[in-house]
Amino acid sequence: MGKNKLRKFAELENNPLVLQYPFGRVRDGGFPLRGRWHEDFFHNENPIVLELGCGKGEYTVGLGRRFPDKNFIGIDIKGARIWSGATAAMRDDMKNVAFIRTSIELLDKFFAPGEVSEIWITFPDPQMKKVNKRLTGTRFVEMYRRVLAPGGLIHLKTDSPFLYNYTTMMVTHNGLEVLQSTADLYATLSPEDPILNIRTHYEQQWLSRGLTIKYVLFRPGTEPSLQEPPGADELEPDTYRSYSRGHVPGEEEIHGGADN
């Protein structure tokens, strides 16, 4: 492991805004803040908002700055990524921001039923071949239901046509309430929008490649049990994802028209 990563991990250990709880630690001792985030961590009754797969934490910190009347928690398994947002939040003495280093699959081990008001899912891997790992798949949305308060919200922001189309099919098939949905966010977005104009590292990359950003805002409800939408396995995959994140494809490559 490089010296830079070791330094970041050491700093995370001493950052009071970062809670590191791998599966074994949660399994053996539970999580002491579950059901007590308001009383024991934030010391207020403001709504709790999660960013799942928060990466560098740009959304967690950006939302925290814009909405001091809400509490924001970024969750990611990669400590070297969390370091950026956690360091910025501690430097600015932000009282409404925290980070958890753990697996998203353990979400309901960290939050009690109804403890969360909103969930942001920003630019996740679309998991085109593994629906059980897809963060807007029915398996995960059922888990979100267990921690969200009544009327709770889920935001998806993605560059992936596949994930946008799948999510749209899933919410439609299950009759979930959709509050907003667009396949080209910046063609419809007001430049003054205080939420959607926060741009993550990966979002900047996708925009520079000429890709459109998609957005879905919906309420997952509480019942009945969610069902996978028929025909979802026939959705066209994202052809440009055969390239690494560092590769900048041309226009033909983006739209699948080039010979690879």
Side-chain angles (χ1 to χ4, degrees), residues 12-184:
L12 287 179
E13 289 289 341
N14 295 306
N15 189 324
L17 302 183
V18 180
L19 305 166
Q20 304 193 68
Y21 273 78
F23 172 73
R25 188 176 180 187
V26 176
R27 177 196 59 205
D28 297 339
F31 183 67
L33 290 175
R34 185 178 187 269
R36 300 197 58 81
W37 279 97
H38 290 108
E39 297 90 341
D40 295 347
F41 190 90
F42 292 114
H43 307 293
N44 62 52
E45 292 299 319
N46 294 338
I48 292 174
V49 182
L50 308 183
E51 183 192 4
L52 305 184
C54 68
K56 296 176 182 291
E58 297 105 320
Y59 248 81
T60 302
V61 173
L63 290 169
R65 287 173 175 153
R66 286 164 171 77
F67 300 97
D69 57 344
K70 294 183 179 182
N71 302 311
F72 297 90
I73 303 174
I75 300 175
D76 204 293
I77 196 66
K78 298 291 183 68
R81 295 178 183 170
I82 286 176
W83 176 88
S84 296
T87 299
M90 186 172 71
R91 179 195 64 218
D92 294 346
D93 194 28
M94 299 182 72
K95 306 298 187 185
N96 65 331
V97 168
F99 291 89
I100 306 175
R101 184 186 175 197
T102 194
S103 169
I104 294 171
E105 296 187 357
L106 300 177
L107 192 66
D108 57 355
K109 305 296 184 185
F110 291 86
F111 300 95
E115 197 168 19
V116 175
S117 294
E118 298 179 46
I119 291 175
W120 276 87
I121 306 169
T122 52
F123 300 94
D125 185 330
Q127 296 289 350
M128 291 180 283
K129 296 182 180 180
K130 299 178 181 178
V131 67
N132 280 342
K133 292 189 175 183
R134 202 172 295 156
L135 292 187
T136 57
T138 55
R139 171 176 172 250
F140 275 95
V141 176
E142 289 280 13
M143 181 173 64
Y144 307 153
R145 282 176 159 185
R146 295 198 290 271
V147 303
L148 280 169
L153 301 172
I154 296 176
H155 306 254
L156 170 68
K157 201 174 182 187
T158 181
D159 62 288
S160 167
F162 174 89
L163 187 60
Y164 173 73
N165 290 329
Y166 165 81
T167 305
T168 300
M169 291 176 67
M170 189 279 292
V171 297
T172 300
H173 179 67
N174 288 284
L176 305 183
E177 181 183 2
V178 179
L179 285 79
Q180 188 174 350
S181 179
T182 175
D184 190 351

